[in-house]
Amino acid sequence: MTETVETKLFIDGAACGTSDGGTYEIFNPARPAELVGRAAAGTPDDVERAVKAAHAAFPAWAALSYGERGALLRKVAAAITEDMQEVETRARLFTREHGKVLRETRLEISRLGERFVQSADYGERLERDDLIRAAPNDTIITRQPRGVAALVVPWNWPLAILGAKLPQALMAGNTVVVKPSANSALAPTMTLHKIAALLPPGVVNILTGSASRIGDAIIGHPLVRYVNFTGSVDVGRHVMKVAAENITPVTLELGGNDAGLVLHDADLTGDAFQRLYRGAFMSTGQICFALKRLYVHRSRFDEIAEGLGAAIDAQVVGDGLLPETTMGPMNNAKQLKVVTDMIAQARARGQKVLELGQVPDPALYAGGYFQRPTLVLDADPGLSVVREEQFGPVLPIVPFDDEETALAMANDDPFGLASSVWSEDIDRAVALARRIEAGYSFINAHGPSAQDGNGPFGGFKKSGIGRNFGYEGVIQFQGHHSISGAAGVLLTD
Ligand code: NAP
Ligand code: MG
């Protein structure tokens, strides 16, 4: 239970220590004094080696056919989950370093494997060029991989988010340097080692360590030809500036403050309250596209407050390793403070704040980074929990009288990641969803358990640039290349 692990870097086909032998410690957010393990603290020299290895491996990897790369991706997918005992051990480690419940850490590992299969499945479509016959020229519009791609992921869903970048980058023909988050590096790095070892040396390189030491060295490296970053707006802005030095293109998946609109005709029977609960509180609310502001037609407000309140109150908050726990601690003290400050502000303003859920072990709760799932009822739209991204287990509910006002409130936000509309009338819900400024909208659901990975995902406004997931998520790792010649000569049939 209290054993510790140590993870290494992976560069040019081999696990290795850092150039100066440095490591750093990761603690359990449920018991912050408990050391879970040590990860390698990479250095700028390690970055140099990793990027050079990826660059050297690129021509041969890019020269493989989609079929050949797809076959290797399928082999990786099978290996990720082939040994269920090992997956279980790693999921337990992941829960200990991250905080989230075992069901979710298991899910992350299996999701990553599924995305490798999905990317491989795009092979035939990726093979097809577009042909234009328009005298006096014929043109073949093909695509080519970009080169070394830098993939940076946050701590909240490190492996599932890599599942939206890594297999896609590889299938497209790029080699990669991956930087997991310092806050959740052990189990993700062990999983990545397994993947990297199945591919030719240099194709996947893994760098852990403090972003302040290696972040800019990766993003600003002149041999890095593409950056795919998921994280906060502030760091995303910085990454874009550093990448600008070499005109390196970026995809940025940044924060969100997702609005849900519950219309007067919403169907609240069946598992509707469970779907609402999961949308807002899965992973202790630490999801970029969690439901973060719920706008409810006044005629349904009491029903929602009562039904969702009951669903939330049934949750068990505690150590994510225990089978009865349905909500673990938050991942870190900094994020916990963001959330508790927002709750304190709502209280200070005299708002109705309900801290719900069951706490079987109050001593554990008091010592760890815990926050019970919380509702702010009849929330003042000016509260920080409404205006800003909470990224934690608190949901403000705001009543509205007409849909146009609700739509205006939903769109009056600097973010534009996801959203949801809840209505019995699907056509009406879709029509309203089309008018929400968001890259993804759910109908009668919200969050990862309802997401279709075939659809491109990403944000408008400060939620980011570009799209991950789906076919679009693969071809972003390529650039178009037009090959043109005389009509009837270049294309003869
Ligand atoms: P963060 O502080 O922005 O960090 C994200 C990643 O960037 C981490 O791996 C971090 O490393 C790294 N990083 C920091 N400075 C860097 C630099 N100069 N160069 C390169 N990499 C650098 O975000 P977070 O706190 O981990 O995650 C929470 C945020 O991510 C929230 O705002 C959330 O909404 C957003 N998010 C968005 C999505 C999406 O798909 N849109 C998904 C999940 C989360 P260290 O950990 O070592 O500092
Ligand atoms: Mg908010």
Side-chain angles (χ1 to χ4, degrees), residues 153 155-156 179 181-182 211 215-216 229-232 253-255 288 389:
V153 292
W155 48 263
N156 66 322
K179 199 202 92 55
S181 165
D216 289 10
F229 169 88
T230 298
S232 63
E253 293 223 344
L254 309 178
C288 54
E389 181 183 39

Side-chain angles (χ1 to χ4, degrees), residues 152-156 161 179-183 209-211 215-216 219 229-233 235 238-239 253-256 288 292 389 391 417 457 463:
V152 182
V153 292
W155 48 263
N156 66 322
I161 292 173
K179 199 202 92 55
S181 165
N183 279 1
S210 152
D216 289 10
I219 305 300
F229 169 88
T230 298
S232 63
V233 175
V235 177
H238 172 79
V239 162
E253 293 223 344
L254 309 178
C288 54
K292 297 194 177 109
E389 181 183 39
F391 215 63
L417 192 55
F457 180 90
S463 289

Side-chain angles (χ1 to χ4, degrees), residues 261-264 295-299 398-410 428 432 435:
L261 307 184
V262 179
L263 308 189
H264 74 277
Y295 296 97
V296 176
H297 191 269
R298 204 175 293 279
S299 64
V398 181
F400 69 82
D401 293 301
D402 67 274
E403 280 167 28
E404 289 304 318
T405 311
L407 180 69
M409 288 195 286
R428 177 195 179 93
L432 194 61
R435 299 171 62 203

Side-chain angles (χ1 to χ4, degrees), residues 256-257 292-293 342 384-390 396:
N257 195 19
K292 297 194 177 109
R293 303 175 282 155
M342 285 179 173
S384 58
V385 71
V386 180
R387 303 299 307 171
E388 294 164 27
E389 181 183 39
Q390 57 270 55

Side-chain angles (χ1 to χ4, degrees), residues 465-487:
I465 297 172
R467 296 289 181 266
N468 287 319
F469 282 104
Y471 177 75
E472 291 77 2
V474 179
I475 62 168
Q476 68 172 328
F477 285 100
Q478 303 180 321
H480 281 105
H481 182 179
S482 301
I483 300 171
S484 174

Side-chain angles (χ1 to χ4, degrees), residues 160-427:
I161 292 173
L162 264 177
K165 305 178 192 293
L166 177 59
Q168 294 80 357
L170 296 174
M171 190 62 187
N174 302 260
T175 55
V176 303
V177 172
V178 182
K179 199 202 92 55
S181 165
N183 279 1
S184 185
L186 302 171
T189 299
M190 287 164 83
T191 308
L192 283 168
H193 274 229
K194 206 173 163 73
I195 294 168
L198 287 167
L199 298 171
V203 170
V204 173
N205 304 276
I206 306 155
L207 293 168
T208 51
S210 152
S212 61
R213 201 155 171 226
I214 59 171
D216 289 10
I218 300 171
I219 305 300
H221 199 293
L223 292 178
V224 166
R225 299 282 152 74
Y226 190 68
V227 173
N228 193 307
F229 169 88
T230 298
S232 63
V233 175
D234 285 348
V235 177
R237 182 185 295 112
H238 172 79
V239 162
M240 198 170 170
K241 283 183 186 160
V242 175
E245 192 57 40
N246 296 314
I247 322 292
T248 307
V250 294
T251 289
L252 303 176
E253 293 223 344
L254 309 178
N257 195 19
D258 290 11
L261 307 184
V262 179
L263 308 189
H264 74 277
D265 63 350
D267 177 3
L268 298 177
T269 60
D271 67 346
F273 291 118
Q274 288 303 326
R275 276 178 275 135
L276 276 166
Y277 165 76
R278 277 200 302 275
F281 293 97
M282 188 179 185
S283 279
T284 321
Q286 301 166 123
I287 294 182
C288 54
F289 62 115
L291 175 58
K292 297 194 177 109
R293 303 175 282 155
L294 189 60
Y295 296 97
V296 176
H297 191 269
R298 204 175 293 279
S299 64
R300 310 300 296 278
F301 191 88
D302 290 346
E303 214 180 322
I304 288 275
E306 199 177 309
L308 183 55
I312 295 172
D313 205 34
Q315 304 305 317
V316 179
V317 184
D319 185 338
L321 285 181
L322 298 175
E324 62 270 26
T325 302
T326 59
M327 183 183 285
M330 297 188 65
N331 172 265
N332 58 76
K334 186 173 148 216
Q335 197 57 42
L336 175 65
K337 184 165 178 345
V338 170
V339 170
T340 52
D341 282 354
M342 285 179 173
I343 293 172
Q345 187 209 40
R347 278 222 169 84
R349 297 249 187 111
Q351 301 272 292
K352 189 162 186 199
V353 176
L354 303 178
E355 290 195 47
L356 302 163
Q358 309 304 310
V359 177
D361 186 346
L364 180 82
Y365 186 92
Y369 305 140
F370 288 99
Q371 169 58 50
R372 291 162 70 191
T374 301
L375 288 179
V376 181
L377 294 184
D378 226 336
D380 173 350
L383 289 177
S384 58
V385 71
V386 180
R387 303 299 307 171
E388 294 164 27
E389 181 183 39
Q390 57 270 55
F391 215 63
V394 52
L395 178 69
I397 311 187
V398 181
F400 69 82
D401 293 301
D402 67 274
E403 280 167 28
E404 289 304 318
T405 311
L407 180 69
M409 288 195 286
N411 285 340
D412 177 22
D413 196 272
F415 289 113
L417 192 55
S419 66
S420 55
V421 182
W422 302 70
S423 169
E424 207 171 49
D425 181 340
I426 300 301
D427 291 343

